[in-house]
Amino acid sequence: MFTRLYLKNLKKVKEIIDEADYVLIGAGSGLSAAGGLDYSNKDVFKENYSPFIKKGYKTIWDGLVDNWTVTQENKKSYWAYWANHINNIYYKANYTKPYEDLYELIKDKNYFIVTTNCDGQFYKGNFDEKKIFAPQGSYGYFQCEKPCSEDVYNNEAMIDKMLSSFDEDKLIIGEEDVPICPRCGRLLRPNLRVDDTFVDKPHLANIDDYYEFVESAKNHKIVLLELGVGFNTPGIIRFPFEKMTKYLNETTLVRFNTTEHGVRKGIEDKTILIDHDIKESLEALVKI
Ligand SMILES: [Zn+2]
């Protein structure tokens, strides 16, 4: 059921976007989860990761936590899980509806995107790649486990190879398909910001454009659309967005969040909270 307050708030958000000179989008895992790429959803796991149920995993997260770091000892089982995961979440996953609707909503605006998501959803649609800052990495690349260079490696062919030797009973891949660094012979690992050995250079290309966007938005009407951002890495989107809301004059923060939806003291009158399902809310916004 849509409450009157919710509908009123949606209308207000639409008006603010229409009037804004700048739209800054901050997207977290909640946006992808709303499109079905939900790491905590048991049905998503059952449908796409069924061989791993016998390991006791119930969600995608369970499998990631159990396979956090690749080593010489676990490499065959580690990659069994990760090859399936990367294939499901990155290569096989369709472009999802929340991203499609978000694009419809802002396509004619002067926009910029900062996201902690690594699933490539923003790159599957029509968003301008030059306007995306995604500093946490990408599921589409590997890097050396102990970086011998700042190179990253497109992993599509390696993922295919690993899946072709995936043994569904033993939950391992063939040793010969374990990805190896072409420069130093160490193991490769996903190019994600999991610790301080993350090779981040390829993902920082747009950082200056991001800062410039914020800088030039300063004395204009700016709306911050924060979508599904929690507290895993709040220093990248959530806290800076709250700070901008506080210190920039003509700013509105729209927080789309169904679970972690507190509003920071001091910016209550500049914040609109949409605590309803993100997918439905974006759908409704496009139709207003
Ligand atoms: Zn290496």
Side-chain angles (χ1 to χ4, degrees), residues 59-260:
T59 64
I60 297 175
W61 265 123
D62 291 342
L64 292 178
V65 169
D66 199 35
N67 296 283
W68 200 251
T69 312
V70 64
T71 63
Q72 287 297 338
E73 288 69 45
N74 74 2
K75 61 189 178 187
K76 289 190 284 179
S77 58
Y78 172 96
W79 283 115
Y81 190 75
W82 273 91
N84 277 284
H85 175 53
I86 291 171
N87 191 44
N88 286 335
I89 225 74
Y90 188 83
Y91 289 112
K92 234 172 69 182
N94 293 323
Y95 183 46
T96 61
K97 189 73 175 19
Y99 286 86
E100 211 177 293
D101 286 333
L102 178 62
Y103 179 73
E104 280 306 309
L105 198 59
I106 57 88
K107 64 182 179 187
D108 297 324
K109 307 299 294 188
N110 184 10
Y111 70 87
F112 203 92
I113 296 158
V114 52
T115 182
T116 48
N117 296 343
C118 308
D119 54 24
Q121 282 286 314
F122 276 113
Y123 301 94
K124 289 187 177 178
N126 292 319
F127 293 97
D128 182 348
E129 291 191 14
K130 294 195 286 298
K131 297 182 178 183
I132 304 169
F133 176 48
Q136 300 300 80
S138 167
Y139 277 120
Y141 292 91
F142 289 157
Q143 64 162 82
C144 183
E145 61 169 333
K146 193 178 171 196
C148 60
S149 78
E150 286 184 318
D151 289 352
V152 295
Y153 308 97
N154 181 304
N155 62 23
E156 192 168 8
M158 290 184 263
I159 294 290
D160 279 349
K161 232 170 131 224
M162 288 192 267
L163 290 176
S164 70
S165 70
F166 172 51
D167 182 329
E168 287 201 20
D169 295 320
K170 293 184 188 148
L171 299 178
I172 53 172
I173 61 154
E175 174 137 20
E176 65 284 5
D177 294 328
V178 168
I180 300 295
C181 177
R183 295 174 67 111
C184 74
R186 288 195 186 91
L187 297 171
L188 289 177
R189 70 150 170 96
N191 180 222
L192 303 169
R193 193 186 296 278
V194 289
D195 58 31
D196 61 3
T197 61
F198 173 54
V199 175
D200 63 359
K201 199 179 171 193
H203 310 287
L204 299 180
N206 296 342
I207 191 168
D208 290 335
D209 291 343
Y210 174 41
Y211 291 153
E212 268 167 36
F213 180 88
V214 173
E215 187 64 29
S216 54
K218 254 184 183 168
N219 298 311
H220 295 87
K221 279 190 182 158
I222 173 167
V223 57
L224 310 177
L225 303 179
E226 185 202 86
L227 297 129
V229 178
F231 286 100
N232 272 344
T233 51
I236 295 172
I237 299 169
R238 191 162 173 129
F239 293 162
F241 272 36
E242 288 175 343
K243 207 168 165 187
M244 279 186 252
T245 306
K246 188 169 178 185
Y247 292 109
L248 301 182
N249 287 331
E250 294 186 87
T251 308
T252 308
L253 171 64
V254 185
R255 173 161 286 160
F256 296 80
N257 203 315
T258 52
T259 49
E260 292 161 310

